[in-house]
Amino acid sequence: MHSPLFSSFKSGSLLERVEQKLSRFLPHSTLCVGLSGGLDSVVLLHLLATLRHSQLFVLRALHVHHGLSPNADAWAQFAMDCAANLGVKCAVERVSLAPFLKQGTEGAARTARYAAFARQDCDVILLAQHCDDQAETVLLNLLRGSGLRGLAAMPEYRSLNQKMGILRPLLGVARAELAAYAAEQGLIWVEDESNHNPRYDRNFLRNDVFPRLNAVWPSANNTLARVARHVAEADELLLEVACSDFAVCVQDNVFDLSVDFSPLRLRNVLRYWLVQNGLQLDARAFEELIRTAVSSAADAQPVLIWRKSAVRRYRQKLYITLAEIELIEPVMLPWQPEINLKSGCLSWREAEVGIALEILKGADFELRPRVGGECLRLFVGGARKALKQLYQDAGVPPWLRQNIPLVYLNGELAAVPGLGVDAAFCTSGQVVVPYWRPSLGGID
């Protein structure tokens, strides 16, 4: 490898473009390059090492050792040597694919790699995917029948966790330009032999399909990358609409189907609600949800089971529950502001009328399941009503009635989440009422 960091100005425009992509993070950021040792990541590291002399940032590198190739140890050593020649410290992190093998080899390696990225102490992880990679991703996702999110392919920047993000500053650069830069600077890199294995879909596209496409349409890669940008804009717009509609039709995580939305707008916000709850339904399952939960008779109570979750309808409202409803077990314990049970979480909210905290803390506190015949008087001087009638009046779904814990104080039914507090225990002042949040199949 040549020792000069930047031996000519012919590639200055590439350097300037990368500098512009970094501008939002400068100065005083810690940048970490994902360094596989291949052409793309070596060029990216070289560019950043050059910029480091004129910009104030800390530069590091990370090589993820997947252990898949007999050359994996040699690649790790190359990455450390390559970084050292540029005055950059390179860490090597060995990962295990075993926990992720259900995703296939490529998927498992990607998941393990991104988990390693998330463990780094930096502000930004920089990855070297380029325009050709983006075009491959668009076509691959198109052939897999992906929606807009898949066709938008790789974003230039996204958050990885609360403390860092991932930046792809070369996403608008062709691989040929990176190869020209590497030749100009005298860079060396390693070749991953698996890149020529046709059993991987991406390799088949890269080595067999795209050469033929580019022979007929020389700008095919740029065109597909441009499609990704257009689709990403459309997807962002739909997300904005969904966020706005979500506030209208979702309350306490219950989806109101009676809202006056067009069918397409309803589908859009429904998808958003599901994703917010950790449910990524495939196309067939989503269409089944539309057919059963949205289009079935008004008095029906359809349910869609998806893995460990269920989407249930009652009175034109959708609820997400566990596929198998957890029943409440009797439990006696000291009162706590929040009580986590296997079936859900019981917390307390301030109210104008409710139970005084002193009473809750001083009483024998017990949670019981509903067994039938329980009654509650919600108003002083009012009649005692059976919970069955109160649940029906309040529109509480049948399956949820068996999941809600009943609050007993000193052996007496004092309150039921979602219904209210018995008049015998009601006071004013610093008072609270119970709030029950059942466990969901998507997000615990």
Side-chain angles (χ1 to χ4, degrees):
M1 183 178 294
H2 289 188
S3 55
L5 285 179
F6 194 58
S7 57
S8 86
F9 291 94
K10 287 191 291 183
S11 298
S13 61
L14 177 58
L15 192 70
E16 290 164 2
R17 276 177 278 163
V18 171
E19 184 176 20
Q20 190 274 329
K21 299 296 183 183
L22 291 178
S23 59
R24 61 185 289 193
F25 305 103
L26 302 178
H28 310 304
S29 290
T30 298
L31 312 182
C32 181
V33 177
L35 182 63
S36 67
L39 166 68
D40 315 331
S41 63
V42 167
V43 167
L44 179 58
L45 183 66
H46 191 273
L47 288 164
L48 293 170
T50 304
L51 287 171
R52 185 179 51 174
H53 291 276
S54 59
Q55 300 288 347
L56 295 176
F57 62 85
V58 176
L59 181 59
R60 299 173 184 163
L62 171 70
H63 177 85
V64 179
H65 189 305
H66 301 93
L68 292 174
S69 169
N71 299 312
D73 289 339
W75 295 342
Q77 186 60 55
F78 172 84
M80 289 189 292
D81 293 343
C82 174
N85 287 339
L86 296 171
V88 178
K89 182 179 179 180
C90 178
V92 174
E93 186 163 337
R94 295 174 179 266
V95 297
S96 171
L97 307 192
F100 316 112
L101 286 179
K102 288 184 179 179
Q103 304 175 28
T105 302
E106 286 182 291
R110 183 184 186 279
T111 300
R113 184 164 61 252
Y114 278 76
F117 293 156
R119 291 190 290 268
Q120 303 311 302
D121 183 17
C122 64
D123 299 299
V124 189
I125 295 285
L126 291 104
L127 303 182
Q129 285 103 341
H130 46 71
C131 180
D132 298 27
D133 294 324
Q134 185 78 314
E136 293 165 7
T137 303
V138 173
L139 187 54
L140 192 62
N141 287 343
L142 178 65
L143 294 172
R144 290 170 174 169
S146 298
L148 291 183
R149 187 63 49 85
L151 295 181
M154 296 176 285
E156 183 174 276
Y157 177 83
R158 73 172 177 88
S159 295
L160 182 58
N161 53 40
Q162 292 182 342
K163 68 175 184 176
M164 74 172 76
I166 290 178
L167 177 68
R168 299 178 174 91
L170 302 178
L171 211 52
V173 180
R175 188 182 189 278
E177 186 174 357
L178 300 181
Y181 178 92
E184 178 183 312
Q185 301 299 323
L187 304 182
I188 58 174
W189 59 91
V190 297
E191 292 285 355
D192 184 345
E193 70 279 357
S194 70
N195 287 338
H196 302 285
N197 188 338
R199 76 184 182 93
Y200 296 124
D201 293 342
R202 184 177 290 274
N203 289 345
F204 173 70
L205 288 180
R206 178 181 299 159
N207 300 322
D208 293 350
V209 175
F210 270 96
R212 299 185 184 186
L213 283 177
N214 285 305
V216 180
W217 296 285
S219 61
N221 288 7
N222 287 332
T223 300
L224 287 171
R226 186 169 63 251
V227 167
R229 292 193 295 273
H230 293 330
V231 173
E233 289 182 3
D235 190 51
E236 283 296 318
L237 178 59
L238 287 176
L239 180 60
E240 286 186 18
V241 174
C243 288
S244 176
D245 290 347
F246 183 86
V248 175
C249 63
V250 178
Q251 184 174 4
D252 290 333
N253 206 38
V254 177
F255 192 102
D256 186 355
L257 288 170
S258 67
V259 292
D260 187 20
F261 287 161
S262 69
L264 288 177
R265 195 163 169 179
L266 182 66
R267 291 167 68 96
N268 184 51
V269 68
L270 183 56
R271 282 196 189 94
Y272 179 78
W273 175 64
L274 293 169
V275 170
Q276 293 301 109
N277 284 281
L279 299 185
Q280 297 275 1
L281 272 61
D282 60 27
R284 184 167 55 181
F286 185 77
E287 292 304 324
E288 180 67 10
L289 177 63
I290 294 293
R291 187 186 70 80
T292 59
V294 178
S295 304
S296 57
D299 59 348
Q301 296 181 25
V303 55
L304 174 77
I305 303 297
W306 177 256
R307 296 172 184 168
K308 296 181 180 181
S309 304
V311 183
R312 306 175 189 270
R313 196 189 78 181
Y314 179 68
R315 294 187 181 180
Q316 289 301 102
K317 287 183 169 57
L318 294 180
Y319 301 77
I320 294 176
T321 73
L322 291 171
E324 296 184 9
I325 300 296
E326 296 284 350
L327 300 181
I328 296 295
E329 295 291 336
V331 56
M332 180 176 287
L333 72 170
W335 178 84
Q336 302 168 24
E338 188 171 278
I339 300 173
N340 288 294
L341 304 175
K342 185 178 180 181
S343 52
C345 176
L346 180 69
S347 58
W348 300 81
R349 293 178 172 179
E350 293 183 356
E352 293 182 2
V353 177
I355 306 177
L357 290 175
E358 292 77 10
I359 295 177
L360 287 169
K361 294 176 182 178
D364 292 334
F365 184 89
E366 186 178 3
L367 301 178
R368 297 182 190 176
R370 178 187 174 212
V371 296
E374 297 91 350
C375 296
L376 205 63
R377 180 183 287 114
L378 295 178
F379 306 101
V380 175
R384 293 177 63 81
K385 291 187 177 182
L387 291 193
K388 179 179 180 180
Q389 183 63 51
L390 292 173
Y391 277 139
Q392 290 176 346
D393 293 345
V396 177
W399 66 85
L400 195 55
R401 301 171 194 176
Q402 302 302 319
N403 173 264
I404 297 174
L406 310 185
V407 178
Y408 282 75
L409 300 179
N410 299 325
E412 299 291 332
L413 179 59
V416 179
L419 295 182
V421 175
D422 191 279
F425 293 88
C426 276
T427 60
S428 57
Q430 189 177 2
V431 298
V432 292
V433 294
Y435 175 74
W436 176 246
R437 187 173 70 252
S439 297
L440 303 180
I443 296 178
D444 295 330

